[in-house]
Coordinates of all heavy atoms in Angstrom, one line a residue:
M21 N 72.1 68.8 56.9 CA 71.2 68.9 55.7 C 69.8 69.3 56.3 O 69.4 68.8 57.3 CB 71.3 67.7 54.9 CG 70.4 66.6 55.1 SD 70.6 65.1 54.1 CE 72.1 64.4 54.6
Y22 N 69.2 70.1 55.5 CA 67.8 70.5 55.8 C 66.9 69.9 54.8 O 67.0 70.1 53.6 CB 67.7 72.0 55.9 CG 68.5 72.7 56.9 CD1 69.7 73.2 56.7 CD2 68.0 72.7 58.3 CE1 70.5 73.7 57.7 CE2 68.8 73.2 59.3 CZ 70.0 73.8 59.0 OH 70.8 74.3 60.0
L23 N 65.9 69.1 55.3 CA 65.0 68.4 54.4 C 63.6 68.8 54.7 O 63.3 69.4 55.7 CB 65.1 66.9 54.7 CG 66.5 66.2 54.5 CD1 66.5 64.8 54.9 CD2 67.0 66.4 53.0
P24 N 62.7 68.6 53.7 CA 61.3 68.9 53.9 C 60.9 68.3 55.3 O 61.3 67.1 55.6 CB 60.6 68.3 52.7 CG 61.6 68.2 51.7 CD 62.9 68.0 52.4
D25 N 60.0 69.0 56.0 CA 59.7 68.5 57.3 C 59.2 67.1 57.4 O 59.6 66.3 58.3 CB 58.6 69.5 57.9 CG 59.1 70.9 58.2 OD1 60.3 71.2 57.9 OD2 58.3 71.7 58.7
S26 N 58.3 66.7 56.5 CA 57.8 65.3 56.6 C 58.9 64.3 56.4 O 58.9 63.2 57.1 CB 56.7 65.1 55.6 OG 57.2 65.3 54.2
V27 N 59.8 64.5 55.5 CA 61.0 63.6 55.3 C 61.9 63.6 56.5 O 62.3 62.5 57.0 CB 61.7 64.0 54.0 CG1 63.0 63.1 53.8 CG2 60.8 63.9 52.8
A28 N 62.3 64.8 56.9 CA 63.2 64.9 58.1 C 62.6 64.2 59.3 O 63.2 63.4 60.0 CB 63.5 66.3 58.4
N29 N 61.3 64.5 59.6 CA 60.7 64.0 60.8 C 60.6 62.4 60.7 O 60.7 61.8 61.7 CB 59.3 64.6 61.0 CG 59.5 66.0 61.5 OD1 60.5 66.4 62.1 ND2 58.5 66.9 61.1
A30 N 60.3 61.9 59.5 CA 60.3 60.4 59.4 C 61.6 59.8 59.7 O 61.7 58.8 60.4 CB 59.8 60.0 58.0
I31 N 62.7 60.4 59.2 CA 64.1 59.9 59.4 C 64.4 60.0 60.9 O 64.9 59.1 61.5 CB 65.1 60.6 58.5 CG1 64.9 60.3 57.1 CG2 66.5 60.3 59.0 CD1 65.7 61.2 56.1
L32 N 64.1 61.2 61.5 CA 64.4 61.4 62.9 C 63.7 60.4 63.8 O 64.3 59.8 64.7 CB 64.0 62.8 63.4 CG 64.7 64.0 62.7 CD1 64.2 65.3 63.2 CD2 66.2 63.9 62.9
K33 N 62.4 60.1 63.5 CA 61.7 59.1 64.2 C 62.3 57.7 64.1 O 62.5 57.0 65.0 CB 60.2 59.1 63.8 CG 59.3 58.1 64.5 CD 57.9 58.2 64.0 CE 57.0 57.2 64.8 NZ 55.7 57.2 64.4
Q34 N 62.6 57.3 62.8 CA 63.2 56.0 62.6 C 64.5 55.8 63.3 O 64.8 54.7 63.8 CB 63.5 55.9 61.1 CG 64.0 54.5 60.6 CD 62.9 53.4 60.7 OE1 61.8 53.7 60.6 NE2 63.4 52.2 60.9
L35 N 65.3 56.9 63.5 CA 66.6 56.8 64.1 C 66.5 57.1 65.6 O 67.6 57.1 66.3 CB 67.6 57.8 63.5 CG 67.9 57.5 62.0 CD1 68.8 58.5 61.4 CD2 68.5 56.1 61.8
G36 N 65.4 57.4 66.2 CA 65.2 57.6 67.6 C 65.8 58.9 68.0 O 66.2 59.1 69.2
A37 N 65.9 59.9 67.1 CA 66.4 61.2 67.4 C 65.4 62.1 68.1 O 64.2 61.9 67.9 CB 66.9 61.9 66.1
T38 N 65.8 63.0 69.0 CA 65.0 63.9 69.6 C 65.3 65.3 69.1 O 66.4 65.8 69.3 CB 65.2 63.9 71.2 OG1 65.0 62.6 71.6 CG2 64.3 64.9 71.9
Y39 N 64.4 65.9 68.4 CA 64.6 67.2 67.8 C 64.3 68.3 68.8 O 63.2 68.4 69.4 CB 63.8 67.4 66.5 CG 64.1 68.7 65.8 CD1 65.4 68.9 65.2 CD2 63.3 69.8 65.8 CE1 65.7 70.1 64.5 CE2 63.6 71.0 65.2 CZ 64.8 71.1 64.6 OH 65.1 72.3 63.9
D40 N 65.2 69.2 69.0 CA 65.0 70.4 69.9 C 64.9 71.6 69.1 O 65.9 72.1 68.6 CB 66.2 70.5 70.9 CG 65.9 71.6 71.9 OD1 65.3 72.6 71.6 OD2 66.5 71.5 73.1
Q41 N 63.7 72.1 68.9 CA 63.5 73.2 68.0 C 64.2 74.5 68.4 O 64.7 75.3 67.6 CB 62.0 73.5 67.8 CG 61.7 74.5 66.7 CD 60.2 74.6 66.4 OE1 59.4 74.0 67.1 NE2 59.9 75.3 65.4
S42 N 64.3 74.7 69.8 CA 65.0 75.9 70.3 C 66.5 75.9 69.9 O 67.1 76.9 69.8 CB 64.8 76.0 71.8 OG 65.5 75.0 72.5
Q43 N 67.1 74.7 69.8 CA 68.5 74.6 69.5 C 68.7 74.3 68.0 O 69.9 74.3 67.5 CB 69.2 73.5 70.3 CG 69.2 73.9 71.8 CD 70.0 73.0 72.6 OE1 71.1 72.6 72.3 NE2 69.5 72.5 73.8
G44 N 67.6 73.9 67.3 CA 67.7 73.6 65.9 C 68.6 72.4 65.6 O 69.3 72.3 64.6
A45 N 68.5 71.4 66.5 CA 69.3 70.2 66.4 C 68.5 69.0 66.8 O 67.7 69.1 67.7 CB 70.6 70.3 67.2
A46 N 68.9 67.9 66.2 CA 68.3 66.6 66.6 C 69.4 65.8 67.3 O 70.4 65.5 66.8 CB 67.8 65.8 65.3
F47 N 69.1 65.5 68.6 CA 70.1 64.8 69.4 C 69.9 63.3 69.3 O 68.8 62.8 69.3 CB 69.9 65.2 70.9 CG 70.3 66.7 71.1 CD1 69.3 67.7 70.9 CD2 71.6 67.0 71.4 CE1 69.7 69.0 71.0 CE2 71.9 68.3 71.5 CZ 71.0 69.3 71.3
V48 N 71.0 62.6 69.2 CA 71.0 61.1 69.1 C 72.0 60.5 70.0 O 73.0 61.2 70.5 CB 71.3 60.6 67.7 CG1 70.2 61.0 66.7 CG2 72.6 61.1 67.2
D49 N 71.9 59.2 70.3 CA 72.9 58.5 71.1 C 74.1 58.4 70.2 O 74.1 58.0 69.0 CB 72.4 57.1 71.4 CG 73.3 56.4 72.4 OD1 74.5 56.2 72.1 OD2 72.8 56.0 73.5
C50 N 75.3 58.7 70.7 CA 76.5 58.7 70.0 C 76.9 57.3 69.4 O 77.6 57.2 68.4 CB 77.7 59.2 70.8 SG 77.5 61.0 71.2
S51 N 76.4 56.3 70.0 CA 76.6 54.9 69.5 C 76.1 54.7 68.1 O 76.5 53.8 67.4 CB 76.1 53.9 70.5 OG 74.7 53.9 70.5
L52 N 75.1 55.5 67.7 CA 74.5 55.4 66.4 C 75.6 55.6 65.3 O 75.5 55.0 64.2 CB 73.4 56.5 66.2 CG 72.6 56.4 65.0 CD1 71.9 55.1 64.8 CD2 71.6 57.5 64.9
A53 N 76.7 56.3 65.6 CA 77.8 56.5 64.6 C 78.4 55.2 64.3 O 79.0 55.0 63.2 CB 78.8 57.5 65.2
R54 N 78.4 54.2 65.2 CA 79.0 52.9 64.9 C 78.0 51.9 64.2 O 78.4 50.8 63.8 CB 79.5 52.3 66.2 CG 80.6 53.1 66.8 CD 81.2 52.4 68.1 NE 80.2 52.2 69.1 CZ 79.9 53.0 70.1 NH1 80.5 54.2 70.1 NH2 79.1 52.8 71.0
N55 N 76.8 52.3 64.0 CA 75.8 51.5 63.3 C 76.2 51.4 61.9 O 76.6 52.4 61.2 CB 74.4 52.2 63.5 CG 73.3 51.3 63.0 OD1 73.3 50.8 61.9 ND2 72.3 51.2 63.8
T56 N 76.0 50.3 61.3 CA 76.4 50.1 59.9 C 75.3 50.4 58.9 O 75.5 50.2 57.7 CB 76.9 48.6 59.7 OG1 75.8 47.7 60.0 CG2 78.2 48.3 60.5
S57 N 74.2 50.8 59.3 CA 73.1 51.1 58.4 C 73.3 52.4 57.7 O 74.3 53.2 58.1 CB 71.8 51.1 59.2 OG 71.7 52.1 60.1
T58 N 72.5 52.7 56.7 CA 72.6 53.9 56.0 C 71.3 54.6 55.8 O 70.3 54.0 56.0 CB 73.2 53.7 54.5 OG1 72.3 52.8 53.9 CG2 74.6 53.1 54.6
V59 N 71.3 55.9 55.5 CA 70.1 56.6 55.1 C 70.2 56.7 53.6 O 71.2 57.3 53.1 CB 69.9 58.0 55.8 CG1 68.7 58.7 55.2 CG2 69.8 57.8 57.3
D60 N 69.3 56.2 52.9 CA 69.3 56.1 51.4 C 68.4 57.2 50.8 O 67.3 57.3 51.1 CB 69.0 54.7 50.9 CG 69.9 53.7 51.4 OD1 71.1 54.0 51.7 OD2 69.4 52.5 51.5
F61 N 69.0 58.0 49.9 CA 68.3 59.0 49.2 C 68.2 58.6 47.7 O 69.2 58.4 47.1 CB 69.0 60.3 49.3 CG 69.1 60.9 50.7 CD1 70.2 60.5 51.5 CD2 68.2 61.7 51.2 CE1 70.2 61.0 52.8 CE2 68.2 62.2 52.5 CZ 69.3 61.8 53.3
T62 N 66.9 58.4 47.3 CA 66.7 58.0 45.9 C 66.1 59.1 45.1 O 65.0 59.6 45.5 CB 65.9 56.7 45.8 OG1 66.5 55.7 46.5 CG2 65.7 56.3 44.3
F63 N 66.8 59.5 44.1 CA 66.2 60.5 43.1 C 65.7 59.7 42.0 O 65.5 58.5 42.1 CB 67.3 61.5 42.8 CG 67.9 62.2 44.0 CD1 69.0 61.6 44.6 CD2 67.3 63.3 44.5 CE1 69.6 62.2 45.7 CE2 67.8 63.9 45.6 CZ 69.0 63.4 46.3
S64 N 65.5 60.3 40.8 CA 65.0 59.4 39.7 C 66.1 58.3 39.5 O 65.8 57.2 39.1 CB 64.8 60.3 38.5 OG 66.0 61.0 38.1
S65 N 67.3 58.7 39.7 CA 68.5 57.8 39.7 C 69.7 58.6 39.9 O 69.8 59.8 39.5 CB 68.6 57.1 38.3 OG 69.7 56.2 38.2
P66 N 70.6 58.3 40.7 CA 70.8 57.0 41.4 C 70.3 57.1 42.9 O 69.7 58.1 43.3 CB 72.3 56.9 41.4 CG 72.8 58.3 41.6 CD 71.7 59.1 40.8
T67 N 70.6 56.1 43.6 CA 70.4 56.1 45.1 C 71.7 56.4 45.8 O 72.8 55.8 45.5 CB 69.9 54.7 45.6 OG1 68.6 54.5 45.0 CG2 69.8 54.7 47.1
I68 N 71.7 57.4 46.6 CA 72.9 57.8 47.4 C 72.7 57.3 48.8 O 71.8 57.6 49.5 CB 73.1 59.3 47.4 CG1 73.1 59.9 46.0 CG2 74.4 59.7 48.2 CD1 74.2 59.5 45.1
S69 N 73.7 56.5 49.3 CA 73.6 55.9 50.6 C 74.6 56.7 51.5 O 75.8 56.8 51.2 CB 74.0 54.4 50.6 OG 73.1 53.7 49.8
V70 N 74.1 57.2 52.6 CA 74.9 58.0 53.5 C 75.0 57.2 54.8 O 74.0 56.9 55.5 CB 74.2 59.4 53.8 CG1 75.1 60.2 54.7 CG2 74.0 60.2 52.5
A71 N 76.2 56.9 55.2 CA 76.5 56.1 56.4 C 76.2 56.9 57.6 O 76.4 58.1 57.7 CB 78.0 55.6 56.3
M72 N 75.9 56.2 58.7 CA 75.6 56.8 60.0 C 76.8 57.6 60.5 O 76.6 58.7 61.1 CB 75.2 55.7 61.0 CG 73.8 55.2 60.9 SD 72.6 56.5 61.1 CE 71.6 56.2 59.7
N73 N 78.0 57.1 60.3 CA 79.2 57.8 60.8 C 79.3 59.2 60.1 O 80.1 60.0 60.6 CB 80.4 57.0 60.7 CG 80.9 56.6 59.4 OD1 80.2 56.9 58.4 ND2 82.0 56.0 59.3
E74 N 78.7 59.4 58.9 CA 78.7 60.7 58.3 C 77.6 61.6 58.8 O 77.7 62.8 58.8 CB 78.5 60.5 56.8 CG 79.6 59.8 56.0 CD 80.8 60.7 55.9 OE1 80.7 61.9 56.1 OE2 81.9 60.1 55.6
L75 N 76.6 61.0 59.4 CA 75.4 61.8 59.9 C 75.5 62.2 61.3 O 74.9 63.2 61.8 CB 74.1 61.0 59.6 CG 73.7 60.8 58.2 CD1 72.6 59.9 58.0 CD2 73.4 62.2 57.5
V76 N 76.2 61.4 62.1 CA 76.3 61.6 63.6 C 77.5 62.5 63.8 O 78.6 62.2 63.5 CB 76.4 60.3 64.4 CG1 76.5 60.6 65.9 CG2 75.1 59.4 64.1
I77 N 77.2 63.6 64.5 CA 78.3 64.7 64.7 C 78.4 64.9 66.2 O 77.4 65.1 66.9 CB 77.9 66.0 64.1 CG1 77.7 65.8 62.6 CG2 78.9 67.1 64.4 CD1 76.8 66.8 61.9
V78 N 79.6 64.8 66.7 CA 79.9 65.1 68.1 C 79.8 66.6 68.3 O 80.6 67.3 67.7 CB 81.2 64.5 68.6 CG1 81.5 64.9 70.1 CG2 81.3 63.0 68.5
A79 N 78.9 67.1 69.1 CA 78.7 68.5 69.2 C 79.3 69.1 70.5 O 79.4 70.3 70.6 CB 77.2 68.8 69.2
G80 N 79.7 68.2 71.4 CA 80.2 68.7 72.7 C 80.3 67.6 73.7 O 80.1 66.4 73.4
V81 N 80.6 68.0 74.9 CA 80.7 67.1 76.0 C 79.9 67.6 77.2 O 80.0 68.8 77.5 CB 82.2 66.8 76.4 CG1 82.3 65.9 77.6 CG2 83.0 66.3 75.2
S82 N 79.2 66.8 77.9 CA 78.5 67.2 79.1 C 78.7 66.1 80.2 O 78.4 64.9 79.9 CB 77.0 67.3 78.8 OG 76.3 67.6 80.0
R83 N 79.2 66.5 81.3 CA 79.4 65.5 82.4 C 80.3 64.4 82.0 O 80.1 63.2 82.3 CB 78.1 65.0 83.0 CG 77.3 66.1 83.6 CD 76.0 65.5 84.2 NE 75.2 66.6 84.6 CZ 73.9 66.7 84.3 NH1 73.3 65.7 83.7 NH2 73.2 67.7 84.7
G84 N 81.3 64.7 81.1 CA 82.3 63.7 80.6 C 81.8 62.8 79.5 O 82.5 62.0 79.1
Q85 N 80.5 63.0 79.1 CA 80.0 62.2 78.0 C 79.8 63.0 76.8 O 79.3 64.2 76.8 CB 78.6 61.7 78.5 CG 78.7 60.7 79.7 CD 79.5 59.5 79.3 OE1 79.3 58.9 78.3 NE2 80.3 59.1 80.3
P86 N 80.1 62.5 75.6 CA 79.9 63.2 74.4 C 78.4 63.5 74.1 O 77.5 62.7 74.5 CB 80.5 62.3 73.3 CG 80.5 61.0 73.9 CD 80.6 61.1 75.4
I87 N 78.1 64.6 73.5 CA 76.7 64.9 73.0 C 76.8 64.9 71.5 O 77.6 65.5 70.9 CB 76.3 66.3 73.5 CG1 76.3 66.4 75.0 CG2 74.9 66.7 72.9 CD1 76.2 67.8 75.6
C88 N 75.9 64.1 70.9 CA 75.8 63.9 69.5 C 74.5 64.4 68.9 O 73.5 64.3 69.5 CB 76.1 62.5 69.1 SG 77.7 61.9 69.5
I89 N 74.7 65.0 67.7 CA 73.5 65.5 66.9 C 73.5 64.8 65.6 O 74.6 64.3 65.1 CB 73.5 67.0 66.8 CG1 74.7 67.5 66.0 CG2 73.3 67.7 68.1 CD1 74.7 69.0 65.7
L90 N 72.4 64.8 65.0 CA 72.2 64.2 63.7 C 72.3 65.3 62.6 O 71.7 66.4 62.8 CB 70.9 63.5 63.6 CG 70.7 62.6 62.4 CD1 71.6 61.4 62.4 CD2 69.2 62.1 62.3
G91 N 73.0 65.1 61.6 CA 73.2 66.1 60.5 C 72.0 66.2 59.6 O 72.1 66.5 58.4
I92 N 70.8 66.0 60.2 CA 69.5 66.2 59.4 C 68.6 67.0 60.3 O 68.5 66.7 61.5 CB 68.9 64.8 59.1 CG1 69.8 64.0 58.2 CG2 67.5 65.0 58.5 CD1 69.3 62.6 57.9
A93 N 67.9 68.0 59.7 CA 66.9 68.8 60.4 C 65.8 69.1 59.5 O 66.0 69.2 58.3 CB 67.6 70.0 61.0
P94 N 64.6 69.4 60.0 CA 63.5 69.9 59.2 C 63.8 71.3 58.6 O 64.4 72.1 59.4 CB 62.3 69.9 60.1 CG 62.7 69.2 61.4 CD 64.2 69.2 61.4
A95 N 63.5 71.5 57.4 CA 63.8 72.8 56.8 C 62.8 73.9 57.2 O 63.0 75.1 57.1 CB 63.8 72.7 55.3
G96 N 61.6 73.4 57.7 CA 60.5 74.4 58.0 C 60.2 75.2 56.8 O 59.9 74.6 55.7
S97 N 60.1 76.5 56.9 CA 59.8 77.4 55.7 C 61.0 77.7 54.9 O 60.8 78.4 53.9 CB 59.1 78.6 56.2 OG 60.0 79.4 57.0
S98 N 62.2 77.2 55.2 CA 63.4 77.5 54.5 C 63.5 76.5 53.3 O 62.8 75.5 53.2 CB 64.6 77.3 55.3 OG 64.6 78.3 56.4
T99 N 64.4 76.8 52.4 CA 64.7 75.9 51.3 C 65.4 74.6 51.8 O 66.4 74.8 52.5 CB 65.5 76.6 50.2 OG1 64.9 77.8 49.8 CG2 65.8 75.8 49.0
P100 N 65.0 73.5 51.4 CA 65.7 72.2 51.7 C 67.1 72.3 51.1 O 67.3 72.8 50.0 CB 64.9 71.1 51.1 CG 63.5 71.7 51.0 CD 63.7 73.1 50.7
V101 N 68.1 71.8 51.9 CA 69.5 71.8 51.4 C 70.1 70.4 51.7 O 70.0 69.9 52.8 CB 70.3 72.9 52.2 CG1 71.8 72.8 51.9 CG2 69.7 74.2 52.0
L102 N 70.8 69.9 50.7 CA 71.6 68.7 50.9 C 73.0 69.1 51.2 O 73.7 69.5 50.3 CB 71.6 67.8 49.6 CG 70.2 67.2 49.2 CD1 70.3 66.6 47.9 CD2 69.7 66.3 50.3
G103 N 73.4 69.1 52.5 CA 74.6 69.7 52.9 C 75.8 68.7 52.8 O 75.8 67.7 52.2
D104 N 76.8 69.1 53.6 CA 78.1 68.3 53.6 C 77.9 66.9 54.0 O 78.6 66.0 53.5 CB 79.2 69.0 54.4 CG 78.8 69.2 55.8 OD1 77.6 69.1 56.2 OD2 79.8 69.4 56.6
T105 N 77.0 66.6 54.9 CA 76.8 65.2 55.4 C 76.3 64.4 54.2 O 76.6 63.2 54.2 CB 75.8 65.1 56.5 OG1 74.6 65.8 56.1 CG2 76.3 65.8 57.8
F106 N 75.6 64.9 53.3 CA 75.1 64.2 52.1 C 76.2 64.2 51.0 O 76.6 63.2 50.4 CB 73.9 64.8 51.5 CG 73.4 64.3 50.2 CD1 72.7 63.1 50.1 CD2 73.8 64.9 49.0 CE1 72.3 62.6 48.9 CE2 73.4 64.4 47.8 CZ 72.7 63.2 47.7
L107 N 76.8 65.4 50.7 CA 77.7 65.5 49.6 C 79.0 64.7 49.8 O 79.6 64.3 48.8 CB 78.1 67.0 49.4 CG 76.9 67.9 49.0 CD1 77.3 69.3 49.0 CD2 76.5 67.5 47.6
R108 N 79.4 64.4 51.0 CA 80.6 63.6 51.2 C 80.4 62.1 50.7 O 81.3 61.4 50.4 CB 81.0 63.5 52.7 CG 81.7 64.8 53.1 CD 82.3 64.6 54.5 NE 81.3 64.3 55.6 CZ 80.8 65.1 56.4 NH1 81.2 66.4 56.3 NH2 80.0 64.7 57.3
S109 N 79.1 61.7 50.6 CA 78.8 60.4 50.2 C 78.4 60.3 48.7 O 78.1 59.2 48.2 CB 77.6 59.8 51.0 OG 78.0 59.8 52.4
A110 N 78.4 61.4 48.0 CA 77.9 61.4 46.6 C 79.1 61.8 45.7 O 80.0 62.5 46.1 CB 76.8 62.4 46.5
Y111 N 79.0 61.3 44.5 CA 79.9 61.8 43.4 C 79.1 62.9 42.7 O 78.0 62.6 42.1 CB 80.3 60.7 42.5 CG 81.2 61.1 41.4 CD1 82.6 61.3 41.7 CD2 80.8 61.4 40.1 CE1 83.4 61.8 40.7 CE2 81.6 61.9 39.2 CZ 83.0 62.1 39.4 OH 83.8 62.5 38.5
V112 N 79.5 64.1 42.8 CA 78.7 65.2 42.2 C 79.6 65.9 41.2 O 80.8 66.2 41.4 CB 78.4 66.2 43.4 CG1 77.5 67.4 42.8 CG2 77.7 65.5 44.5
V113 N 78.9 66.2 40.1 CA 79.6 67.0 39.0 C 78.9 68.3 38.8 O 77.6 68.3 38.6 CB 79.5 66.2 37.6 CG1 80.1 67.0 36.5 CG2 80.2 64.8 37.8
Y114 N 79.6 69.4 38.9 CA 79.1 70.7 38.8 C 79.4 71.2 37.4 O 80.6 71.4 37.1 CB 79.7 71.7 39.8 CG 79.4 71.2 41.3 CD1 80.3 70.4 41.9 CD2 78.2 71.6 41.9 CE1 80.0 70.0 43.2 CE2 78.0 71.2 43.2 CZ 78.9 70.4 43.9 OH 78.6 69.9 45.1
D115 N 78.5 71.4 36.5 CA 78.7 72.0 35.2 C 78.2 73.4 35.2 O 77.1 73.7 35.0 CB 77.9 71.1 34.2 CG 78.1 71.6 32.8 OD1 78.7 72.7 32.5 OD2 77.6 70.9 31.9
L116 N 79.2 74.3 35.5 CA 78.8 75.7 35.6 C 78.5 76.3 34.3 O 77.6 77.2 34.2 CB 80.0 76.5 36.2 CG 80.4 76.0 37.6 CD1 81.6 76.8 38.1 CD2 79.2 76.2 38.6
H117 N 79.0 75.8 33.2 CA 78.8 76.3 31.9 C 77.3 76.1 31.5 O 76.7 77.0 30.9 CB 79.7 75.7 30.8 CG 79.5 76.2 29.4 ND1 79.9 77.4 29.0 CD2 78.9 75.6 28.4 CE1 79.6 77.6 27.8 NE2 79.0 76.5 27.3
N118 N 76.7 75.0 31.8 CA 75.3 74.7 31.5 C 74.4 74.8 32.7 O 73.2 74.4 32.6 CB 75.2 73.3 30.9 CG 75.9 73.2 29.6 OD1 75.7 74.0 28.7 ND2 76.8 72.2 29.4
N119 N 74.9 75.3 33.8 CA 74.1 75.4 35.0 C 73.4 74.1 35.4 O 72.2 74.1 35.6 CB 73.0 76.5 34.9 CG 73.6 77.9 35.0 OD1 74.6 78.1 35.7 ND2 73.0 78.9 34.4
Q120 N 74.2 73.0 35.5 CA 73.7 71.7 35.8 C 74.5 71.1 36.9 O 75.7 71.3 37.0 CB 73.7 70.8 34.6 CG 72.8 71.2 33.5 CD 72.8 70.3 32.3 OE1 73.8 69.5 32.1 NE2 71.8 70.2 31.5
I121 N 73.8 70.3 37.7 CA 74.5 69.5 38.7 C 74.1 68.1 38.5 O 72.9 67.8 38.4 CB 74.2 70.0 40.2 CG1 74.7 71.4 40.4 CG2 74.8 69.0 41.2 CD1 74.3 72.0 41.7
S122 N 75.0 67.2 38.5 CA 74.7 65.7 38.3 C 75.2 64.9 39.4 O 76.3 65.2 40.0 CB 75.3 65.2 37.0 OG 74.9 66.0 35.9
L123 N 74.4 63.9 39.8 CA 74.8 62.9 40.8 C 75.2 61.6 40.2 O 74.5 61.2 39.3 CB 73.7 62.7 41.8 CG 73.2 63.9 42.6 CD1 72.0 63.6 43.4 CD2 74.3 64.5 43.5

C-alpha cells in the first residue's frame, strides 16, 4: 500500500523499517511477521486492523536468510493506494451502480 509520506514514514519508523528509495521498498526483520500487533487505520468509522503477518512479505533469500519487506511505502507525488495488504483485512462493499465503496 502507498500512503501519504508523513503517515508512511511514521509507521516505518515505529516498526523499525529501513526504506530504500532506490528499491522502493521498506526492509524489516522477518520476525516482525510473528508479532501479534496490528497497524490500525481509522477513517470516520470503522477502524481496520491489519495484522503484521499481512504486512510483512518475504521478498527473497540472501546468504540462506529470508529478506522481508513491509507492504507499506510512501506515495511521494503519486496517489495513495490502500492495496491488497489492507484489503485482505477489511470487509469492502463495491457499489458500482452508485459509484461508492464502503468499509
Side-chain angles (χ1 to χ4, degrees):
M21 88 182 73
Y22 294 98
L23 301 176
D25 292 2
S26 61
V27 174
N29 290 330
I31 293 170
L32 297 178
K33 182 178 180 182
Q34 183 73 28
L35 297 178
T38 303
Y39 185 73
D40 184 330
Q41 189 169 9
S42 67
Q43 296 188 46
F47 294 89
V48 294
D49 189 303
C50 292
S51 66
L52 187 60
R54 294 186 301 275
N55 189 311
T56 59
S57 63
T58 60
V59 175
D60 298 332
F61 296 86
T62 301
F63 303 91
S64 56
S65 179
T67 295
I68 307 296
S69 297
V70 182
M72 283 299 131
N73 64 355
E74 293 288 345
L75 292 171
V76 177
I77 302 160
V78 178
V81 177
S82 176
R83 299 183 188 130
Q85 297 296 316
I87 299 170
C88 292
I89 60 173
L90 192 66
I92 296 174
S97 61
S98 299
T99 301
V101 175
L102 295 172
D104 59 341
T105 53
F106 172 85
L107 293 172
R108 285 192 298 262
S109 299
Y111 182 79
V112 184
V113 176
Y114 301 91
D115 181 351
L116 299 177
H117 181 73
N118 292 309
N119 283 333
Q120 294 178 340
I121 297 174
S122 299
L123 300 174

